[in-house]
Amino acid sequence: MLHSLTTPAMVAIGLVLFLFGMRQLESGVRSFGYNTFKRWLTSSTASPAGSAFMGVTVTAILQSSSMVSLLVLAFASAGALPLYNAIGVLFGANLGTTVTGWMVATIGFKLSLNFFALPMMATGALMQLLSSRLKGLLGLGMLLFGLGLIIFGLNIMKEAVADLPGLVNLEALQGYGPGLYFLVGAGLAALIQSSSATMMITLAALHAGVLDLSAAAALVIGADLGTTSTTVLGSIGGHCVKRQLALAHFLFNALVDLAAFFLLLPLLPQVMNFFALQDPLYSLVAFHSLFNLLGLLLFLPFLKPFSRWIGRRFLSGADLERPLVGQPITVPDAALVAIDRVLVEMRLSAVVLGMHGFHLQPEQLQLSGALQSELDESFERRINAEQRYLRIKQQESDLLAFSFDLQAQALTTEQVTRLERQTRESRALVYSSKTLKDIREDLVYMRHSPQPEVLALYKEHRNFIKTFYRHYLQLSGAAAASAAKRDANEQLLRDIENHYTNANRAVHAMASGDVVGGAELSTMLNVNREIHHSCKSLLLQ
């Protein structure tokens, strides 16, 4: 039945099977290596060279530059990866994905594995059917099924393309030179959104004699550029980091591919002779790897200044003020990191709001290092108390909307617990900020009171707030479940209760001595209560 179909139909069928096989293979590898990759990503990208090597290695292992790009984009948007490290991983993934060409050239054309394709697919399908009873089979089943489908689809295309020389007048294309093949490669990769599939089509055409080596190389160079369309399209309307990474990816590929087209392509025969490569299939995949490797090596020394330049593009007030808007939720761990970073800013804003109420300066909290710098930066934002409070409320609103969307993802129990803690903290921060904002006028009254006892109570509040905020910020970065943090929180709760008790005693003493009464008494008791609630809510999350 298949033989009765036309050659274009056979090519289309083989391509669809190949693409679906790649997706199944990616899903299987994701099941096996996803968590491992996340750990590598956050621990092995401390330098540009390390991040590039990471991109090469992991993409070569996982055989999915799209998976790598997705995770890099998510963690970079969340702030877990510096921009230049994220760019380094993307550049490395660009080279790592060329391994697919070697696999296709060897498995698809050098080894006769089509006999094993159907049994492999059947075994993979059976494993998936049994996965509900035997844990661990699902990922392996998808991997085997995808690999078998890739081989099967590749064989269909290989046989279909073999008939093209008698059906297509190739002489009509010869006068246009390699530029036409470059444009065709770019357009094809952009259309089917897969550089691996484009490489497979090119290898099949080269194997069948439809293309010569020079034309195939020009087509592959174009495909290398066309594949950036996936990143560019995915960045439209997203967070500024997404657009920055898309621009970096496009510029890198454009420079490398144009250099390969104008400088290396004319020297292709000499280059292949130098490496003693006679087989056209291996020559093509070697050329593909070579120009990507040279591009990476030449670009790597300039990665940091290039990243700094990229980091100044596409910045807007909306991206800076509302970082969760447009943040991807497809990688839950990265999304949770993004929420944590917003909570850091909310904590600082809540503390600064209280500091303004008590006329405290950042240096009076006696912090150190990055924490002091972050507090200074938040304090220096020239906005009044009402604006700062409204900003905290907006951040809570964005966080709750983002967490609601995130709950639609398949979250682990640990992730659900973390998300619940984050949403509770955001509400606590808003409540804490509101209570202090509501007593600002009362604090002004106490600060300017002619009564020494009232002024002394205000100073007690001020000293307590200063000490409490210092310990609170120092503890906020500690692991939520650590024993040391639990002990420190319990001590702070005891300090809050002791301060509240002593403050009420001071007010009652003033009332007994007829120092204050009536409205003044009510005001100071209300101040005591609101300070107590504000501090306590920050710790009971």
Side-chain angles (χ1 to χ4, degrees):
M1 182 176 178
L2 284 176
H3 293 290
S4 65
L5 297 175
T6 63
T7 296
M10 293 288 289
V11 172
I13 290 172
L15 178 60
V16 170
L17 292 176
F18 180 88
L19 290 174
F20 186 70
M22 288 292 292
R23 177 174 294 186
Q24 287 290 299
L25 181 63
E26 176 182 325
S27 299
V29 172
R30 182 191 291 267
S31 177
F32 278 117
Y34 182 75
N35 291 328
T36 300
F37 174 75
K38 289 188 298 185
R39 290 192 294 270
W40 285 352
L41 183 63
T42 54
S43 64
S44 303
T45 58
S47 67
S51 62
F53 179 76
M54 168 94 166
V56 174
T57 304
V58 176
T59 309
I61 294 173
L62 301 188
Q63 280 300 294
S64 176
S65 59
S66 59
M67 186 201 304
V68 175
S69 299
L70 172 65
L71 291 173
V72 168
L73 181 64
F75 279 101
S77 300
L81 277 180
L83 180 63
Y84 73 88
N85 281 2
I87 293 174
V89 174
L90 280 182
F91 290 177
N94 218 46
L95 174 61
T97 196
T98 66
V99 174
T100 303
W102 290 98
M103 293 178 61
V104 171
T106 301
I107 295 176
F109 297 100
K110 298 302 177 183
L111 300 178
S112 180
L113 296 181
N114 198 46
F115 174 78
F116 300 101
L118 289 177
M120 193 178 297
M121 292 163 60
T123 303
L126 179 62
M127 286 184 173
Q128 293 181 66
L129 290 174
L130 297 176
S131 62
S132 59
R133 297 182 180 180
L134 299 174
K135 295 182 178 180
L137 288 183
L138 181 62
L140 182 58
M142 287 189 293
L143 191 150
L144 287 176
F145 185 81
L147 185 57
L149 203 56
I150 287 172
I151 297 172
F152 187 66
L154 181 60
N155 188 69
I156 291 176
M157 284 205 63
K158 182 175 65 174
E159 293 179 355
V161 173
D163 297 330
L164 282 181
L167 301 175
V168 179
N169 182 13
L170 297 178
E171 294 180 358
L173 301 178
Q174 292 178 359
Y176 291 96
L180 174 63
Y181 295 102
F182 177 86
L183 295 176
V184 169
L188 186 60
L191 179 64
I192 64 178
Q193 297 286 291
S194 173
S195 59
S196 298
T198 306
M199 170 60 82
M200 182 267 292
I201 294 171
T202 306
L203 286 169
L206 181 62
H207 179 71
V210 177
L211 297 176
D212 60 26
L213 181 58
S214 179
L219 196 146
V220 166
I221 295 173
D224 208 61
L225 179 61
T227 194
T228 62
S229 63
T230 303
T231 312
V232 173
L233 290 174
S235 70
I236 296 175
H239 193 271
C240 67
V241 174
K242 295 172 66 177
R243 297 192 291 276
Q244 290 168 348
L245 288 172
L247 177 62
H249 193 200
F250 173 78
L251 289 179
F252 172 74
N253 280 44
L255 291 172
V256 171
D257 296 335
L258 290 175
F261 183 79
F262 288 108
L263 299 178
L264 285 182
L265 185 59
L267 301 175
L268 180 58
Q270 292 87 338
V271 172
M272 293 304 101
N273 288 334
F274 177 80
F275 289 103
L277 288 173
Q278 302 299 323
D279 186 288
L281 298 182
Y282 284 142
S283 296
L284 181 61
V285 295
F287 178 74
H288 188 206
S289 297
L290 176 63
F291 73 75
N292 274 287
L293 174 61
L294 292 177
L296 180 62
L297 293 178
L298 292 174
F299 221 93
L300 206 56
F302 307 101
L303 186 57
K304 282 192 175 181
F306 175 72
S307 300
R308 284 195 294 268
W309 182 83
I310 287 290
R312 294 193 291 268
R313 309 303 108 187
F314 304 115
L315 293 178
S316 67
D319 290 315
L320 296 174
E321 295 295 322
R322 304 178 66 184
L324 290 179
V325 176
Q327 182 73 233
I329 60 171
T330 50
V331 183
D333 278 345
L336 293 170
V337 171
I339 293 176
D340 276 337
R341 289 182 64 83
V342 171
L343 286 174
V344 168
E345 185 179 347
M346 290 180 69
R347 291 183 203 119
L348 291 169
S349 293
V351 167
V352 169
L353 192 62
M355 290 170 60
H356 282 313
F358 286 97
H359 280 208
L360 290 169
Q361 296 298 313
E363 60 271 12
Q364 292 177 279
L365 266 62
Q366 299 177 342
L367 299 170
S368 61
L371 191 56
Q372 183 67 53
S373 299
E374 290 174 353
L375 180 63
D376 291 341
E377 182 178 348
S378 180
F379 189 86
E380 290 169 3
R381 292 176 63 92
R382 298 303 178 186
I383 54 177
N384 59 37
E386 184 65 27
Q387 291 171 327
R388 190 175 291 274
Y389 173 66
L390 290 176
R391 173 166 169 73
I392 295 174
K393 285 191 65 177
Q394 180 64 67
Q395 289 174 315
E396 182 209 21
S397 176
D398 289 345
L399 191 152
L400 293 177
F402 184 70
S403 66
F404 180 79
D405 292 339
L406 185 57
Q407 290 172 38
Q409 301 294 310
L411 302 179
T412 64
T413 303
E414 181 182 353
Q415 289 169 336
V416 170
T417 301
R418 182 177 174 186
L419 183 60
E420 291 174 347
R421 179 190 59 77
Q422 289 173 326
T423 54
R424 286 197 304 271
E425 182 175 3
S426 71
R427 290 192 291 269
L429 286 164
V430 171
Y431 177 74
S432 175
S433 301
K434 184 179 186 305
T435 54
L436 288 188
K437 182 182 73 70
D438 290 345
I439 61 171
R440 284 180 62 85
E441 295 301 323
D442 296 335
L443 294 177
V444 171
Y445 151 73
M446 294 180 68
R447 184 164 59 246
H448 297 286
S449 173
Q451 301 291 346
E453 294 86 350
V454 174
L455 184 58
L457 178 59
Y458 168 79
K459 291 180 178 180
E460 284 297 320
H461 284 318
R462 186 172 184 268
N463 288 331
F464 171 76
I465 284 291
K466 178 176 65 175
T467 302
F468 172 78
Y469 280 164
R470 179 173 68 250
H471 293 310
Y472 166 69
L473 289 178
Q474 289 172 337
L475 281 174
S476 62
S482 67
K485 183 170 185 176
R486 287 196 300 270
D487 293 343
N489 276 1
E490 290 175 2
Q491 181 59 54
L492 282 179
L493 286 171
R494 289 192 291 269
D495 293 343
I496 292 170
E497 295 301 329
N498 290 336
H499 175 75
Y500 183 47
T501 300
N502 293 334
N504 283 338
R505 286 174 180 169
V507 173
H508 292 151
M510 283 186 269
S512 300
D514 293 327
V515 176
V516 296
E520 292 177 324
L521 176 63
S522 176
T523 294
M524 285 189 290
L525 288 175
N526 181 61
V527 167
N528 293 350
R529 183 176 61 254
E530 296 299 84
I531 291 175
H532 173 260
H533 288 338
S534 176
C535 295
K536 194 172 181 179
S537 65
L538 294 180
L539 301 178
L540 299 178
Q541 301 160 9

